[in-house]
Amino acid sequence: MSDKLVEEMSFEEAMSALEAVVGQLERGDVPLDQSITLYERGAALKKRCEAKLKEAEEKVAAITLGEGGEPTGTTPVEGL
Amino acid sequence: MSDLIDDPAEGLNAPEFTVTEISGAVKRTIESSFSRVRVRGEIGRVSMPRSGHVYLDLKDDRSVLSAVIWKGVAGRLQTQPEEGMEVVATGKLTTFGGQSKYQMVIEDIAPAGMGALMAMLEKRKKTLEAEGLFDPGRKKELPYLPEVIGVITSPSGAVIRDILHRLRDRFPRKVLLWPVAVQGAKCAPEVTRAIEGFNAMMSGGAIPRPDLLIVARGGGSIEDLWGFNEEIVARAAAASDIPLISAVGHETDTTLIDFASDMRAPTPTAAAELAVPVRLELLGWVGEQEARLARALSQSINQRQQRLRDLARALPNPQALVDQASQKFDFTGGRLAPALQKAVQVKRLALEKRAAPLQGATLAQRIRHEDTRLKSMARRLASGLSSNTKTQRRVYDKTAQRLRPLALKQEVDRKKTAFSALSQRLSISALNQTNTWRNRIDALERLHQTLGYKETLKRGYAVVRSQDHIVTSKVEAEKATELEIEFQDGRLATGPSASPKPSRKAKPSPPKPDQGSLF
């Protein structure tokens, strides 16, 4: 298992960690105490995944460019 | 030029030009005759000095034409001149009198047909490929779920709409649009700058740094898409640290950036599909994982419960484990008390048997008996001792009475007197005997003296010897070589070796005749 905190994981990290936990639990060769710990970790990972999936927010901005073509900021883009 | 200048040797009255005049004349002639021409040729050496003008050579297999593209024109060109490119240049001819040169001023330049364009593209591709820019090992993996997507395309037009629309369907994300010209001369430098610009952004900066880039353009002619075939664009795409999807033109259009990008999408819509997963599918997946998690846990617990039940069944009844031992205990415990009693009885019997003679009366009787015996013995001991002594004394006294010292003394005196007499007689008789023997010896001595030959010698006889033998005859004397004659007062040696030899013989027998005569 990764040492990274679940709350700091990217969606992909949380996803592969969750997959590993489920697989481990399904193999059934884990002691009972550890099973419960694993389940709790799985639940936390699932929560993290869901949270990342809920962050599905569309926000489109265009880069504004200076005279030399360098980016100076962004302006919201709407209606596309 | 030769057709413009007469042979000076032929017409001496021909007008005379100064160099400047003739240069000017030539310039006018050329510029009027070639005020707009199209020249096809291969671009030779190209130089772009700081001034911004572009100098190049157009050439074919036999001739070379110098050409210049003024700064203002160069920026507008759709096709940037490149060495080796087969082009058709449009412009006019002019002269450069200061150096006696002529050149073409190019107004526009275009690839000389599709084949030439593709050949040039192929050549570039080979160059970049040789540099390793297209190596599969260089390709970066796209993030599974990018947080911010940088899109480099035209802000107007269908492309950005298509991309945003598809992203919205799948997984709405933050999108940063970097507006660029997607065709014309500005296209390549702007796209290059956009790629580099996104890469230069710092994560956590004012503008969020994208974790995925999409370079997109809709379909068009090969000339329209040409900007994405430019080397600078391909190099920027290859150098990008942020994973980059190229989506230029339709599926059949392949531009140089497609080889250098990390992923090529056939269309902008497809680029959006490659960029993000489908959110609903992921939600479904997460739900499924949750169910599997719960199922696995409950299954794990169920399995353990089942196993516990099985094991519990296999456990024997605890009472049954104890029963047998308990019964054995009862049985043995019951035998304990009688066994003890019996043991005591046996021991008591043995004790009584041994203790019987030890009763008080018996002991006392025995003591009395022994006491009596002891006393009687003691009595006998004293009387026995005294009677024995008396008896012995009597014997002693009796013997002592018989001892008489006077008798013994008389006896001793008598014996002593006898002894003295005897010893006196012994002395006297011994003296007598000795005297007798002495007298006889003296007589014998005298006789011996008388009888010895030496006494005879005194009377005038002599003893003759030859070699210690007595010579008694004339024959013997004659035979002897030497003779020794003993006289009364010594010996005399005669003969050849006569030397007196002392005779040891003290008592040689005297001559027999003498002796004979004597007796």
Side-chain angles (χ1 to χ4, degrees):
Chain A
M1 279 186 221
S2 150
D3 292 324
K4 203 167 178 181
L5 286 170
V6 172
E7 289 71 29
E8 288 172 5
M9 282 182 176
S10 70
F11 176 81
E12 195 182 1
E13 284 167 336
M15 191 173 84
S16 61
L18 179 56
E19 221 162 16
V21 164
V22 170
Q24 215 175 339
L25 209 53
E26 280 178 341
R27 277 200 303 278
D29 53 0
V30 188
L32 190 62
D33 289 355
Q34 211 178 323
S35 294
I36 291 161
T37 314
L38 269 177
Y39 177 81
E40 281 165 357
R41 184 177 164 81
L45 288 165
K46 175 233 151 198
K47 210 172 135 193
R48 174 67 180 168
C49 284
E50 273 181 347
K52 293 306 280 184
L53 291 179
K54 276 178 189 150
E55 280 172 17
E57 176 200 10
E58 185 188 87
K59 198 168 142 191
V60 183
I63 306 275
T64 51
L65 297 170
E67 292 215 347
E70 75 283 352
T72 54
T74 58
T75 55
V77 175
E78 275 159 22
L80 282 177
Chain B
M1 270 192 270
S2 59
D3 54 345
L4 297 176
I5 301 168
D6 289 341
D7 186 356
E10 281 182 12
L12 291 172
N13 59 344
E16 222 176 60
F17 292 102
T18 66
V19 176
T20 304
E21 280 168 354
I22 193 71
S23 288
V26 169
K27 189 180 183 74
R28 279 190 299 278
T29 307
I30 287 180
E31 287 185 353
S32 61
S33 299
F34 305 105
S35 58
R36 181 162 181 86
V37 288
R38 293 176 76 231
V39 180
R40 183 188 182 123
E42 187 190 331
I43 295 177
R45 188 176 42 85
V46 179
S47 72
M48 297 182 189
R50 226 172 255 281
S51 62
H53 309 314
V54 178
Y55 300 96
L56 54 89
D57 286 342
L58 289 172
K59 59 179 183 180
D60 57 21
D61 54 347
R62 282 189 294 177
S63 303
V64 176
L65 175 62
S66 296
V68 63
I69 307 169
W70 301 125
K71 184 183 174 184
V73 177
R76 288 201 311 266
L77 286 180
Q78 276 200 17
T79 304
Q80 290 297 317
E82 200 168 306
E83 197 176 330
M85 195 190 272
E86 188 80 19
V87 292
V88 176
T90 307
K92 62 181 181 187
L93 290 191
T94 181
T95 67
F96 186 45
Q99 284 186 7
S100 184
K101 280 187 173 174
Y102 71 100
Q103 63 183 7
M104 182 174 178
V105 177
I106 296 173
E107 306 285 345
D108 193 13
I109 201 166
M114 200 60 104
L117 207 58
M118 294 321 285
M120 186 185 68
L121 179 60
E122 202 56 36
K123 197 176 148 215
R124 266 183 211 166
K125 204 174 115 187
K126 284 211 168 68
T127 310
L128 297 183
E129 195 166 23
E131 282 181 41
L133 258 58
F134 306 156
D135 280 0
R138 285 181 57 107
K139 308 284 183 201
K140 288 173 287 294
E141 212 173 305
L142 303 185
Y144 187 79
L145 180 58
E147 297 284 330
V148 180
I149 302 169
V151 180
I152 300 166
T153 190
S154 164
S156 56
V159 170
I160 185 67
R161 254 202 306 277
D162 287 349
I163 291 174
L164 292 176
H165 189 254
R166 187 48 61 95
L167 284 179
R168 201 172 293 143
D169 282 350
R170 291 170 69 86
F171 206 131
R173 296 278 78 183
K174 291 192 186 73
V175 175
L176 276 176
L177 169 66
W178 190 304
V180 291
V182 290
Q183 65 187 65
K186 281 183 179 171
C187 172
E190 282 188 7
V191 170
T192 303
R193 185 184 275 267
I195 294 172
E196 288 168 354
F198 272 136
N199 272 284
M201 286 176 181
M202 308 295 280
S203 53
I207 305 171
R209 188 181 202 250
D211 37 20
L212 180 69
L213 296 183
I214 298 174
V215 178
R217 190 205 188 280
S221 70
I222 187 161
E223 288 83 3
D224 289 343
L225 304 182
W226 197 252
F228 298 94
N229 280 325
E230 292 296 348
E231 194 176 325
I232 49 166
V233 173
R235 284 189 187 279
S240 173
D241 283 333
I242 304 172
L244 187 145
I245 302 174
S246 64
V248 177
H250 293 302
E251 190 159 4
T252 48
D253 301 323
T254 302
T255 52
L256 206 55
I257 193 176
D258 291 330
F259 295 102
S261 67
D262 297 304
M263 182 75 84
R264 182 210 173 215
T267 60
T269 304
E273 284 168 3
L274 288 171
V276 292
V278 178
R279 182 174 164 268
L280 283 174
E281 281 175 14
L282 289 178
L283 278 170
W285 180 86
V286 169
E288 190 194 324
Q289 296 301 307
E290 189 185 16
R292 278 172 67 186
L293 202 60
R295 198 162 56 239
L297 184 67
S298 67
Q299 197 175 342
S300 157
I301 291 168
N302 283 341
Q303 272 173 1
R304 282 175 168 86
Q305 270 176 350
Q306 185 59 45
R307 179 140 179 75
L308 179 64
R309 275 196 294 273
D310 292 349
L311 287 172
R313 263 201 297 280
L315 269 180
N317 182 1
Q319 190 59 45
L321 284 175
V322 175
D323 278 348
Q324 204 178 351
S326 171
Q327 190 181 355
K328 198 172 171 188
F329 170 73
D330 286 345
F331 176 67
T332 313
R335 282 167 61 195
L336 184 62
L340 184 62
Q341 279 169 7
K342 191 171 181 194
V344 169
Q345 275 170 8
V346 170
K347 298 284 178 194
R348 177 167 291 155
L349 269 176
L351 177 65
E352 281 168 0
K353 211 167 157 188
R354 298 274 173 91
L358 290 177
Q359 281 171 1
T362 320
L363 276 176
Q365 193 182 352
R366 190 162 169 186
I367 289 167
R368 275 197 303 278
H369 172 69
E370 293 296 331
D371 190 39
T372 313
R373 238 180 97 197
L374 179 64
K375 280 174 181 162
S376 105
M377 293 281 226
R379 274 196 305 274
R380 281 167 61 194
L381 181 64
S383 68
L385 185 62
S386 69
S387 75
N388 196 13
T389 309
K390 275 177 194 162
T391 311
Q392 294 299 323
R393 169 151 298 185
R394 269 198 302 274
V395 172
Y396 167 74
D397 289 346
K398 211 167 165 186
T399 315
Q401 276 164 10
R402 277 157 56 194
L403 280 175
R404 285 175 301 168
L406 186 63
L408 274 177
K409 198 169 179 266
Q410 283 172 349
E411 178 72 15
V412 169
D413 286 344
R414 208 157 35 87
K415 298 280 181 189
K416 199 178 278 177
T417 310
F419 174 70
S420 298
L422 277 173
S423 70
Q424 206 167 4
R425 281 166 61 194
L426 180 61
S427 299
I428 294 165
S429 61
L431 199 61
N432 291 343
Q433 182 73 49
T434 311
N435 285 337
T436 311
W437 283 339
R438 179 161 295 143
N439 292 336
R440 271 188 77 185
I441 289 168
D442 287 344
L444 282 169
E445 179 63 23
R446 274 188 308 272
L447 180 64
H448 172 70
Q449 289 290 333
T450 315
L451 293 177
Y453 80 95
K454 294 255 169 109
E455 290 298 316
T456 314
L457 292 181
K458 282 175 192 169
R459 292 188 317 254
Y461 296 83
V463 179
V464 179
R465 289 184 184 91
S466 172
Q467 289 178 331
D468 290 343
H469 296 289
I470 305 280
V471 179
T472 57
S473 65
K474 183 186 159 243
V475 179
E476 268 178 311
E478 282 170 353
K479 275 195 272 183
T481 54
E482 62 186 39
L483 291 172
E484 192 188 51
I485 304 163
E486 186 181 1
F487 297 101
Q488 174 198 334
D489 55 344
R491 296 185 181 197
L492 173 71
T494 64
S497 63
S499 66
K501 223 168 113 185
S503 169
R504 299 265 313 147
K505 293 224 169 136
K507 288 177 190 175
S509 54
K512 275 167 186 169
D514 288 357
Q515 282 178 348
S517 63
L518 187 60
F519 290 102

